[in-house]
């Protein structure tokens, strides 16, 4: 009965006497260790373990037989068995004392865990390998990230450089326009200066008169002050146009923006005997722009329009500046159209006029339109032209509306 029970167990079983010699083994134990029943029974149990453990085992076996207790499998790990042919294998042991007729036997249930250990080792190796790969990949990604960051920094630096160059170019171009404007400025200044001179002379004359009522001079002196402010405003307007500063966007009304630009060119138009008409649609939205740069674009377009209209000498001696809210195509943006009655341009020329340094004028620089286009594009807008040769041209630019403050 006892033997049948031992054979029915799923583990290898080794029964030892109190002297540590093997009394009985089941078939599974014979197969596990490679011995015949007779070869094993009566032998010291240490024969089933590698040489290096035997001495220590003898001692612990003595200790155990003095105080035998049950030791579950998970407490008895880290053991190795040795096969008859010499190879080792990892085992787990369940130890239990068996008491019979005053004898204490040791019952050891042994389980070969080499396959499990192998799997665990393989898993550990795979995990280590995975960790190594993850680490290598992380390093690689960090390297790629770093090089992307450097590349982006470099791109930003180049973009910033390009932006600065554009601003410089725009400034140089403004200065060259200003050079052409000096006669206009002198003429504009002449008016307040002449008025100041007249009113002051009048005051002097009246003060020479003994019976002058000083209070009666006040209106004339107030005119002097007003004319001096007007002169200062004219100078401020031109100086502001010459200003060299980084792009500074501000929220402005289109009316203000257009009138300031048109005022800079009004004298030029009048000097050429042309009318400069401004037509502003009611309730235009605000725009967020660098005022000076947008003025520069308008001055460029208006100057070109004045020049061609003057040379074409048509009956219509006017330049129109029309400002309106666009319909579908421009997404509700504000559009400024500068319309002339000059000679216009052919379709082929229309492809070239926006290229830098393209000019058909003997003294031309050919930079106005290309700079204007880059200014408008930097504001998120578009600059384009429309013409049929011989019947004038219209240059348009759009700017995104800035509805809410
Ligand atoms: P520039 O005025 O120095 O020539 P722009 O870039 O302002 O430089 O203009 C380039 C060219 O585009 C001009 O030389 C002219 O041929 C053409 N152009 C510009 N404005 C007009 C216009 N309103 N009508 C016809 N052609 C124009």
């Amino acid at each position: 009965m006892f033997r049948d029970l031992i054979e029915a167990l799923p583990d290898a079983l080794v029964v030892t006497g109190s002297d540590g010699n093997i009394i009985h083994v089941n078939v599974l134990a014979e197969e596990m260790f490679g011995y015949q029943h007779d070869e094993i029974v009566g032998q010291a149990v240490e024969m089933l373990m590698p040489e290096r453990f035997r001495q220590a085992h003898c001692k612990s076996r003595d200790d155990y037989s003095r105080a035998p207790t049950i030791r579950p499998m998970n407490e008895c790990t880290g053991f190795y068995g040795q096969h008859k042919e010499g190879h080792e294998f990892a085992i787990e042991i369940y130890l239990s004392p068996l008491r019979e007729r005053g004898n204490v036997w040791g019952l050891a249930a042994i389980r070969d865990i080499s396959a499990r250990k192998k799997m665990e080792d393989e898993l550990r190796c795979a995990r280590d390998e995975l960790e190594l790969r993850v680490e290598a990949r992380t390093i690689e990604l960090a390297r790629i990230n770093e090089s992307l960051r450097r590349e982006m920094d470099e791109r930003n630096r180049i973009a910033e450089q390009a932006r600065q160059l554009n601003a410089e170019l725009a400034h140089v171009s403004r200065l060259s326009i200003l050079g052409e404007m000096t006669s206009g400025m002198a003429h504009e200044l002449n008016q307040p200066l002449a008025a100041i001179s007249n009113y002051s002379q009048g005051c002097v004359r009246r003060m020479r008169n003994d019976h002058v009522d000083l209070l009666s001079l006040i209106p004339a002196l107030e005119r002097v002050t007003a004319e001096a402010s007007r002169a200062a405003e004219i100078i401020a307007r031109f100086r502001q146009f010459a200003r060299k500063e980084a792009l500074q966007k501000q929220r402005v009304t289109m009316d203000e923006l257009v009138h300031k630009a048109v005022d800079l060119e009004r004298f030029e138009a009048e000097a050429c005997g042309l009318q400069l008409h401004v037509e502003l649609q009611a309730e235009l939205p605000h725009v967020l722009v660098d005022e000076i740069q947008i003025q520069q674009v308008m001055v460029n377009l208006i100057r070109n329009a004045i020049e061609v209209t003057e040379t074409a000498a048509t009956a219509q001696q006017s330049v129109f500046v029309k400002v309106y809210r666009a319909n579908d195509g421009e997404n509700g943006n504000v559009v400024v159209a500068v319309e002339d009655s000059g000679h216009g341009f052919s379709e082929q020329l229309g492809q070239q006029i926006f290229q830098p340094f393209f000019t058909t004028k003997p003294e031309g620089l050919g930079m106005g339109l290309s700079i204007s286009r880059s200014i408008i594009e930097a504001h998120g807008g578009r600059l384009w032209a429309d013409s049929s040769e011989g019947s004038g041209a219209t240059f348009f630019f759009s700017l995104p509306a800035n509805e809410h403050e």
Side-chain angles (χ1 to χ4, degrees):
M1 164 74 183
F2 175 69
R3 279 173 198 270
D4 290 347
L5 195 70
I6 281 180
E7 289 306 334
L9 286 173
D11 292 316
L13 242 126
V14 176
V15 184
T16 51
S18 49
D19 56 358
N21 286 345
I22 299 170
I23 296 172
H24 184 70
V25 291
N26 67 0
V27 175
L28 282 177
E30 288 169 24
E31 282 169 8
M32 184 181 284
F33 291 94
Y35 292 101
Q36 298 291 324
H37 196 264
D38 296 345
E39 290 176 296
I40 209 167
V41 171
Q43 301 296 324
V45 71
E46 281 76 24
M47 77 177 288
L48 301 178
M49 59 188 66
E51 181 72 45
R52 62 186 184 283
F53 295 119
R54 287 181 188 168
Q55 204 175 347
H57 187 264
C58 286
K59 189 180 170 318
S60 63
R61 176 162 50 76
D62 286 347
D63 294 345
Y64 182 78
S65 58
R66 270 193 291 278
T69 50
I70 292 177
R71 294 193 193 159
M73 289 238 175
N74 58 3
E75 273 185 25
C76 300
T77 51
F79 289 98
Y80 288 88
Q82 188 172 33
H83 193 271
K84 182 181 172 186
E85 285 170 7
H87 59 264
E88 293 181 16
F89 51 95
I91 52 173
E92 254 176 13
I93 304 176
Y94 176 91
L95 264 185
S96 165
L98 251 184
R99 289 172 227 281
E100 194 175 276
R101 279 181 248 124
N103 291 322
V104 180
W105 295 342
L107 185 69
I110 305 167
R111 196 172 288 171
D112 181 347
I113 56 164
S114 51
R116 197 181 84 199
K117 269 214 123 161
K118 191 166 165 258
M119 204 149 63
E120 280 172 4
D121 287 349
E122 278 171 6
L123 270 175
R124 197 173 314 111
C125 278
R127 199 197 55 212
D128 291 351
E129 169 79 15
L130 196 69
E131 272 174 11
L132 277 178
R133 283 198 198 174
V134 167
E135 198 180 327
R137 191 80 187 120
T138 308
I139 294 170
E140 171 77 359
L141 283 175
R143 204 182 51 71
I144 293 172
N145 208 12
E146 175 61 19
S147 86
L148 275 176
R149 201 187 53 71
R150 262 192 260 120
E151 200 174 303
M152 267 176 61
D153 284 353
E154 181 63 8
R155 278 192 198 178
N156 287 345
R157 197 183 59 75
I158 291 171
E160 174 59 21
Q161 240 175 24
R163 207 187 56 73
Q164 277 178 10
L165 271 175
N166 270 344
E168 298 244 340
L169 201 60
H171 181 241
V172 169
S173 151
R174 272 204 305 281
L175 290 184
S176 95
I177 298 173
L178 263 179
E180 295 164 19
M181 281 177 168
T182 46
S183 65
M185 180 166 92
H187 180 85
E188 271 199 67
L189 277 175
N190 260 345
Q191 286 179 352
L193 289 178
I196 289 169
S197 167
N198 287 342
Y199 283 115
S200 329
Q201 278 170 20
C203 286
V204 170
R205 261 199 314 276
R206 290 170 69 183
M207 285 169 83
R208 286 216 171 98
N209 181 342
D210 285 343
H211 307 295
V212 68
D213 171 9
L214 282 179
L215 288 180
S216 71
L217 296 178
I218 290 178
L221 288 171
E222 277 174 348
R223 287 303 300 267
V224 169
T225 317
E227 292 297 331
S229 311
R230 202 178 128 204
E233 266 169 33
I234 295 169
I235 293 171
R237 193 173 357 116
F238 281 90
R239 275 187 61 178
Q240 202 193 18
F241 191 67
R243 193 184 79 187
K244 181 188 178 185
E245 273 172 25
L247 193 80
Q248 267 181 353
K249 289 190 179 169
Q250 281 174 334
R251 195 168 182 269
V252 290
T253 64
M254 279 311 284
D255 302 36
E256 202 185 330
L257 189 68
V258 171
H259 280 123
K260 276 187 185 167
V262 169
D263 282 350
L264 286 165
E265 281 302 291
R266 204 171 280 289
F267 170 75
E268 186 74 23
E270 280 167 12
C272 301
L274 299 182
Q275 296 285 320
L276 196 49
H277 299 286
V278 180
E279 291 176 15
L280 287 154
Q281 200 179 54
E283 293 179 24
L284 285 166
H286 281 70
V287 284
L288 187 67
V289 295
D290 179 313
E291 253 191 280
I292 301 302
Q293 290 205 338
I294 301 300
Q295 276 181 33
Q296 174 173 4
V297 172
M298 293 193 62
V299 165
N300 265 324
L301 301 182
I302 297 171
R303 284 189 90 75
N304 282 346
I306 292 173
E307 273 175 41
V308 291
T309 304
E310 191 201 8
T311 48
T314 52
Q316 169 72 282
Q317 288 289 284
S318 300
V319 167
F320 290 89
V321 178
K322 297 178 182 171
V323 189
Y324 52 91
R325 190 86 190 241
N327 301 325
D328 299 351
E330 290 297 312
N331 293 329
N333 288 350
V334 187
V335 176
V336 177
V338 179
E339 202 176 294
D340 63 56
S341 15
H343 48 66
F345 51 80
S346 65
E347 209 183 315
Q348 191 203 351
L349 218 62
Q351 313 275 334
Q352 296 172 291
I353 56 177
F354 290 100
Q355 285 167 13
F357 305 113
F358 176 84
T359 181
T360 51
K361 302 173 194 166
E363 307 283 315
L365 259 178
M367 287 303 291
L369 288 178
S370 90
I371 289 174
S372 297
R373 185 171 258 183
S374 56
I375 289 176
I376 295 298
E377 283 173 359
H379 281 79
R382 208 162 69 82
L383 195 157
W384 73 103
D386 190 14
S387 170
S388 42
E389 207 171 357
S391 59
T394 306
F395 283 77
F396 304 87
F397 68 84
S398 62
L399 288 173
N402 187 263
E403 311 274 5
H404 310 292
E405 204 155 356

